[in-house]
Amino acid sequence: LTSPRFTAQLIKAIENDAEICSSENKQLSRSIARRLYELGFGRVEVTVTGKRQIEIFLCGERLFGRSERLDFIRRRLEETTAMQLTRPKPAEYAGRSALVLRREPLIACRHALSLSAREQVCGDSAEVFLDEERNYLYALICDGMGSGEEAKAISTRALEALKLLLLCGFTPRNAISLLSEELSEFCEDEITTTVDLLALDLYTGEATLCKSGAAPSYLVRKSDIIRLSARTVPMGIIRKSDLREIDLNLSDGDLFIMVSDGVSECENDSLPLLDYLHSYKDNSPEEIAEDIIELSRNLHREDDLSVIAIKIFPQNY
């Protein structure tokens, strides 16, 4: 993955992302200043930085006071920005005393992953990682062509490349599309892997599930189980990625399950998994992931197995 085109697009994404993260949001700054003036705080100098990871700096003589005043400011600015904000804290900005508020995620989650190898080495690669700059959680499973060391090498290369692209600011679709083109056009050997990617916005709970040849995923919400699948081919088979995006909104109490095709080999074989998900009760993500692996092994699965389990909670859980 060292072609000139790949390198150029990566550098461009890094430069664009750095500019977005550090730039001043002047429109939001003006809206906040106007709102504070209407509330009787006089002329307040407002600086808002970032597009997603918002920081709000307030400089004004009438801002400081008891905790009730600070809570009042936070509530009014949450109405203005339509964001959940931290409580104002004293800070220094441009050599002056200021209050700073930061955008706060609406949700939190606990996750676990479990892998089980068909041979000595598991050909699946899986990871859950956080983009701290943008407050996105990514869950990713790649199932490489073949088995053992060969499949592991393919799935690991794909996972590491996608992780790099995502953390540099690529959207999931653009990351998968670029990697698919690279694998098809510039790799001498055929490199094929499934891609199952969840991108979860921790600020809002909005999520995108991207599937390229991947097994179904499952959303457990109260007593309902929603099966999320797509008829697509693995990445690397054709130059243009065969990708389907599924938009979701995850909220308090949801359980999200991602598996490789060793767990869900066909429609009928998924029935034991559905039975388990109907009765898992309040097990931890770690217990759920291990239970699904054990269930699959008891059904004599002949493939590598990987499971990611994610449980959603409110931020202050």
Side-chain angles (χ1 to χ4, degrees), residues 107 136 198-208 247-250:
I107 63 170
Y136 269 96
L198 177 74
L200 172 60
D201 186 340
L202 296 177
Y203 284 130
T204 65
E206 295 175 351
T208 300
D247 292 327
L248 307 165
N249 202 309
L250 301 183

Side-chain angles (χ1 to χ4, degrees), residues 261-276 291-303 305:
D261 59 7
V263 175
S264 180
E265 291 178 343
C266 67
E267 187 71 30
N268 291 333
D269 284 350
S270 68
L271 292 178
L273 174 58
L274 295 176
D275 289 340
Y276 170 77
D291 286 347
I292 294 174
I293 291 290
E294 182 179 359
L295 170 67
S296 300
R297 281 293 172 224
N298 290 339
L299 293 171
H300 306 292
R301 294 289 195 256
E302 297 297 331
D303 199 353
L305 307 171

